[in-house]
């Protein structure tokens, strides 16, 4: 695709926003099409009429996510992502009511006050095994019988891979951990006010400033394929012809790609995340508390609400929302108190179930990653990565998809599919 030509990006989740921003920066005319009435996809702020405002689910970034942090910097939002717990993550144990700070960087563990409970000498080779690019196996097998599994490895695994530890991929977690141990890689950030004001709105503003056009409520129904290229996008209300030299980034989840392009192999197993949100008077500045030996995994307390995350929530996703909200608050209220976070009693609560929160990231070969199905089309999305399916993976996939199309100067003369280089995920 030639700079100055048109790039259609379908899907305004993080991957689509990253693709659109990269293309605008490179001088393309960008048209972003999003089916939902708001942008952000799985990273969005929910503001129901008459209800309270919260994110669909708490999203954390790490210093080990340089591409996501760089995108935030470019859209002027980096300073809005703050470290809620710079002194180490307070983790509350529901079984014994104790709270302890845990460092996320192995060097932190030299200080007993930041060491995960149960860490012993016999864990070191297992941790090293995780960090090395060896044959894949389930993380649960690797740490079988070790106290560290319950105290640290399991919560870390579901936080990063959203997949039960019994099946989760050691290799995929290892790729993330090798980045976490780099300087600053273990710093944990959250959006100060929320994903809408601190990510999605600044991205849309930057896009609009760059001349990008954004259509919300614009659903792609079908794709018209002629030989090796896409000739038209059939939207719900019109058909968009794709001119010679124009390009298309489909920044969509695998299930949607499977509907549009049934012949393409894509991952078909997902894991849910359940989030419970409580309207309460909270702290002035966001606080973040981990839980273990509990249904809940972490709680983020903001000025006017608390959001609680249950990752890899297959066992809870079918439960009655009211019962879940009650059960989760019973766990979280003492955890917050123990961490010195003063909150009131909830005056309103809401449970958000994301049944397909991420793909399942189980041990075994990486799933299919068909990045360039046609000469003028690239796919993007968090599932198109060898890294864990996260914001970082979504940003990398979106930026790389746009750059790859922009680099292909005469797509109509290209007859072979060009595989995209996988992002550095050693
Ligand atoms: C509750 C929860 C908590 C999470 N926590 C974290 C975290 O702490 N840290 C982290 O890094 N990641 C986290 N993630 C993962 C992160 O949200 C995703 O990796 C990321 O948002 C994926 O972005 P995406 O653009 O690939 O996909 P999506 O966000 O799914 O974007 C796809 C977009 O395409 C749109 N679309 C679908 N079909 C069509 C169509 N036919 N036409 C037009 N548009 C269409 C959708 O509406 C959507 O906006 C979490 C996810 C969830 C659900």
């Amino acid at each position: 695709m030639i700079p100055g030509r048109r790039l259609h990006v379908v899907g305004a989740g993080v991957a689509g926003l990253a693709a659109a921003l990269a293309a605008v920066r490179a001088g393309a005319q960008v048209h972003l099409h999003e089916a939902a009435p708001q942008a952000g996809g799985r990273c969005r702020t929910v503001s129901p009429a008459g209800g309270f405002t919260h994110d669909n689910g708490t999203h954390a970034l790490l210093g080990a996510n340089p591409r996501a942090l760089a995108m935030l910097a470019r859209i002027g939002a980096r300073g809005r992502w703050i470290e809620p717990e710079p002194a180490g993550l307070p983790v509350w144990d529901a079984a014994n009511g104790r709270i302890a700070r845990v460092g996320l960087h192995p060097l932190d563990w030299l200080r007993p006050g930041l060491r995960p409970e149960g860490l012993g000498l016999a864990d070191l080779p297992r941790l090293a095994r995780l960090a090395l690019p060896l044959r894949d196996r389930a993380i649960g097998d690797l740490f079988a019988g070790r106290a560290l599994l319950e105290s640290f490895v399991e919560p870390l695994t579901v936080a990063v891979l959203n997949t039960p530890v019994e099946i989760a991929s050691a290799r995929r977690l290892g790729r993330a951990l090798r980045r976490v141990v780099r300087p600053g890689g273990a710093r944990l950030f959250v959006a100060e006010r929320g994903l809408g004001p601190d990510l999605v709105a600044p991205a849309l503003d930057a896009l609009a400033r760059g001349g990008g056009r954004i259509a919300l409520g614009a659903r792609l129904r079908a794709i018209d394929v002629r030989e090796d290229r896409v000739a038209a996008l059939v939207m719900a209300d019109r058909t968009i012809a794709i001119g010679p030299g124009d390009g298309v980034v489909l920044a969509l989840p695998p299930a949607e790609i499977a509907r549009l392009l049934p012949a393409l192999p894509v991952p078909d197993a997902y894991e849910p995340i359940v989030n419970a949100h409580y309207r309460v008077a909270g702290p002035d500045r966001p606080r973040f508390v981990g839980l273990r030996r509990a249904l809940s995994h972490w709680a983020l307390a903001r000025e006017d609400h608390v959001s609680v995350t249950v990752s890899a929530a297959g066992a809870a996703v079918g439960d009655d929302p009211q019962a879940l909200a009650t059960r989760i608050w019973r766990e979280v209220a003492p955890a917050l108190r123990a961490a010195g976070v003063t909150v009131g009693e909830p005056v309103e609560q809401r449970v958000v179930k994301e049944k397909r929160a991420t793909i399942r990231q189980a041990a075994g070969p990486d799933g299919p990653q068909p990045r360039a199905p046609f000469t003028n089309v690239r796919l993007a999305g968090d599932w198109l990565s060898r890294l864990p399916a996260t914001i970082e993976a979504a940003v990398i996939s979106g930026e790389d998809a746009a750059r790859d199309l922009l680099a292909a100067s005469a797509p109509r003369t290209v007859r072979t599919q060009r595989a995209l280089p996988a992002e550095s995920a050693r």
Side-chain angles (χ1 to χ4, degrees), residues 10-16 33-36 40-43 56-61 218-220 251-253 256 259-260 273 275 298 354 357-358 381-382 389-392 394:
V10 184
V14 173
H33 311 272
E34 165 58 47
R42 280 170 280 158
C43 273
N56 61 320
T58 296
H59 281 66
L61 285 175
R219 182 165 189 267
L220 176 64
L252 301 171
E256 196 58 3
R259 182 184 72 75
L260 292 162
I273 297 181
N275 293 275
W298 68 49
E354 298 268 5
T358 64
D382 63 348
T390 54
I391 293 175
E392 177 77 358

Side-chain angles (χ1 to χ4, degrees), residues 11 15 24 26 34-35 37 40 45 77 112 125 140-141 145 171 219 225 234 242 259 271 277 287 343 376:
V24 157
E34 165 58 47
T45 293
D141 288 349
R171 188 172 48 202
R219 182 165 189 267
V225 179
V234 183
I242 303 301
R259 182 184 72 75
E271 289 291 339
H277 307 275
R287 292 289 314 274
V343 294
N376 60 349

Side-chain angles (χ1 to χ4, degrees), residues 214-230:
I214 302 147
L216 300 176
R219 182 165 189 267
L220 176 64
R221 276 184 33 212
I223 297 174
D224 181 3
V225 179
R226 301 283 158 90
E227 297 180 16
D228 61 354
R229 63 186 299 276
V230 163

